[in-house]
Amino acid sequence: MTSAQLRRAREALETFAVETPSWGFADTGTRFGKFFQAAAAIDLGDKLADAGHVHALTGCCPTVAVHVLWDFKAGEDPKAVAKLARAHGVKIGAINPNLFQDQCYKWGSFGNGDAAVRAHALQHCIDSIAIGKAVGSEYVSLWFADGTNYPGQDSIRDRKRRFEEALRACHAKLGPKQTMLVEYKPFEPAFYATDIADWGMALLLAKKAGPRAKVLVDTGHHYNAQNIEQIVAWLLDENMLGGFHFNDRRYADDDLTLGSIDPYQVFRIFHEIHFFAADRGKMPSIAYMIDQCHNEKPKIEATIQTVLMAQELYAKAALVDHAALRRAQAANNVVDAELILKRAFFTDVTPALTAWRKARKLAADPLAEHRRSGYAKQAAADRTRRRKELGLVQGGSFA
Ligand code: RM4
Ligand code: MN
Ligand code: MN
């Protein structure tokens, strides 16, 4: 790296933060079964402790996303949860309402034909917004399992209208510091017509909901050949990109570690963001969040791996020579334009990462440091003992 590159990469790292998901530290599974880990978090205290540990090692994960029904007990004081987070050195980040696990959602939440169910879902979102205000969180993140499984099952247009109405009502309750993120997913659990199936639908709904609604891009929620960075560029240009859920996709919804399948694609996404910021003279505010549940990799290791990959690719993307790229583009010099991206991608940014970590008194290799710390071994022992005391059995199958 040249000294100018080193400076650019370090500058980029200064403002880059990644939010960890509380659910990523707990036992989760596939539709068919769960594979348990002794070190998995049992309760919110464990999840926040794990998130705090990841932040202490990486210096890059100050906030934790929470899922309301998984993390908050009924009647719990949100301020107490915020305090617990602070005690672990982190803050509560995006609030995720849960609009899919209650029995009443069999036919959907906001898309449900029954006005009483829609009202129930809306009230849960309003309660979640209030939790967000109480804990000082900036984001309310909405993902819907809604949709239909068979042609003719419901009116596609009626469902769209119901979503428009409920999202508008939801938006009306936001505080001045809150942003509402609308996530899309092509299929699963609905297999015929997911109500918010792609970025265009999310964009339209967010625009209709109000000025503080933006689109959330979950990198896993795209078909294989889909060009995610193009979607990102369009959303940026429309000032409608609110945030990301990081993972990697092999099919269309995977919880794989970011960059494990296609690191160049993640780089290209970051490039679009840096390129946009260079043109506008200002970095847009984007919530970078992880959405991964690991069943094979140890959860904390996979989380650290994701954070390090995100930092590395973000720093590489900051090295793209925008002026040279513009010149190559203006001259229709396709070869040079492509090479400008490739050159940045293949630059080893380790010196910038090492310097950034050193300045923060962090270990040069946070993953190795985690392994050295013995944290996972200790958590496995403590949590195995607590599970026994609480009479919890790690078991469960699909049917
Ligand atoms: C969905 C989606 C949401 C996540 C749930 C658990 O596939 O990615 O963001 O909260 O899973
Ligand atoms: Mn997601
Ligand atoms: Mn997902």
Side-chain angles (χ1 to χ4, degrees):
M1 294 182 88
T2 64
S3 59
Q5 284 179 322
L6 192 68
R7 201 177 46 246
R8 259 169 87 172
R10 278 196 64 179
E11 261 167 33
L13 291 169
E14 285 309 319
T15 52
F16 185 64
V18 182
E19 181 163 304
T20 54
S22 69
W23 56 97
F25 299 111
D27 271 326
T28 46
T30 68
R31 244 164 18 93
F32 309 103
K34 279 190 185 182
F35 298 98
F36 299 99
Q37 298 187 13
I42 300 174
D43 54 24
L44 183 61
D46 293 347
K47 295 173 188 173
L48 293 171
D50 293 356
H53 173 66
V54 170
H55 180 47
L57 289 165
T58 60
C60 175
C61 307
T63 58
V64 189
V66 289
H67 241 283
V68 174
L69 294 188
W70 297 340
D71 293 327
F72 288 79
K73 291 186 208 93
E76 188 161 40
D77 176 12
K79 287 218 161 41
V81 173
K83 203 172 150 200
L84 184 63
R86 273 201 304 277
H88 288 293
V90 283
K91 278 199 200 151
I92 300 296
I95 310 291
N96 290 251
N98 185 312
L99 299 156
F100 47 87
Q101 75 178 32
D102 289 1
Q103 286 299 308
C104 65
Y105 297 140
K106 177 165 181 181
W107 309 111
S109 59
F110 280 10
N112 200 307
D114 183 342
V117 178
R118 293 203 298 281
H120 177 82
L122 180 59
Q123 189 54 52
H124 177 59
C125 288
I126 293 170
D127 295 345
S128 302
I129 290 169
I131 290 177
K133 285 178 189 160
V135 301
S137 146
E138 278 176 61
Y139 294 99
V140 176
S141 195
L142 301 172
W143 173 69
F144 299 90
D146 287 51
T148 49
N149 275 292
Y150 295 95
Q153 186 179 326
D154 196 0
S155 159
I156 293 172
R157 281 175 292 111
D158 285 0
R159 295 186 74 89
K160 169 178 171 283
R161 292 282 166 119
R162 292 172 204 144
F163 262 93
E164 288 170 1
E165 194 187 306
L167 287 171
R168 244 194 325 267
C170 204
H171 187 282
K173 300 287 178 186
L174 291 174
K177 293 196 189 102
Q178 286 176 305
T179 298
M180 182 172 124
L181 301 174
V182 181
E183 183 173 357
Y184 56 93
K185 184 176 181 181
F187 59 80
E188 208 242 341
F191 287 102
Y192 169 62
T194 302
D195 286 328
I196 312 182
D198 66 27
W199 70 279
M201 296 176 187
L203 173 67
L204 262 182
L205 288 172
K207 280 212 157 149
K208 287 190 179 185
R212 284 200 303 283
K214 305 270 180 246
V215 177
L216 171 77
V217 176
D218 182 315
T219 47
H221 293 185
H222 301 87
Y223 290 112
N224 243 353
Q226 219 166 349
N227 184 334
I228 303 176
E229 62 269 26
Q230 183 180 22
I231 295 170
V232 167
W234 276 58
L235 289 174
L236 281 168
D237 200 58
E238 291 289 324
N239 187 29
M240 288 301 286
L241 179 66
F244 285 95
H245 272 177
F246 283 151
N247 45 47
D248 210 327
R249 74 179 157 161
R250 186 70 184 104
Y251 298 104
D253 181 26
D254 284 318
D255 285 330
L256 303 177
T257 317
L258 182 79
S260 57
I261 304 292
D262 189 354
Y264 188 42
Q265 180 180 63
V266 182
F267 165 89
R268 295 193 308 266
I269 290 172
F270 285 144
H271 159 61
E272 288 304 331
I273 295 168
H274 286 301
F275 196 23
F276 174 83
D279 283 349
R280 298 290 162 105
K282 195 170 164 246
M283 192 44 91
S285 113
I286 298 169
Y288 296 106
M289 302 176 279
I290 300 173
D291 187 5
Q292 294 170 23
C293 296
H294 293 279
N295 302 311
E296 296 179 335
K297 289 180 174 177
K299 293 162 197 297
I300 292 175
E301 289 195 12
T303 308
I304 295 172
Q305 211 186 1
T306 292
V307 176
L308 303 188
M309 176 81 335
Q311 280 187 304
E312 184 179 341
L313 294 168
Y314 190 78
K316 281 174 185 273
L319 299 184
V320 172
D321 184 338
H322 296 128
L325 183 62
R326 282 287 187 200
R327 279 196 301 276
Q329 290 176 344
N332 289 316
N333 188 339
V334 185
V335 170
D336 282 358
E338 188 198 343
L339 284 175
I340 287 164
L341 296 199
K342 284 270 170 68
R343 224 172 277 133
F345 179 65
F346 285 113
T347 304
D348 179 9
V349 292
T350 312
L353 291 162
T354 307
W356 184 85
R357 287 187 187 122
K358 203 168 166 201
R360 279 167 178 68
K361 299 192 169 44
L362 299 167
D365 182 348
L367 183 58
E369 183 62 19
H370 163 67
R371 288 178 174 165
R372 248 196 313 276
S373 74
Y375 181 96
K377 210 169 154 219
Q378 188 62 45
D382 290 350
R383 293 169 190 179
T384 300
R385 179 183 45 76
R386 266 174 51 228
R387 261 184 214 100
K388 237 183 236 149
E389 283 165 14
L390 294 165
L392 298 174
V393 185
Q394 283 181 307
S397 77
F398 180 57

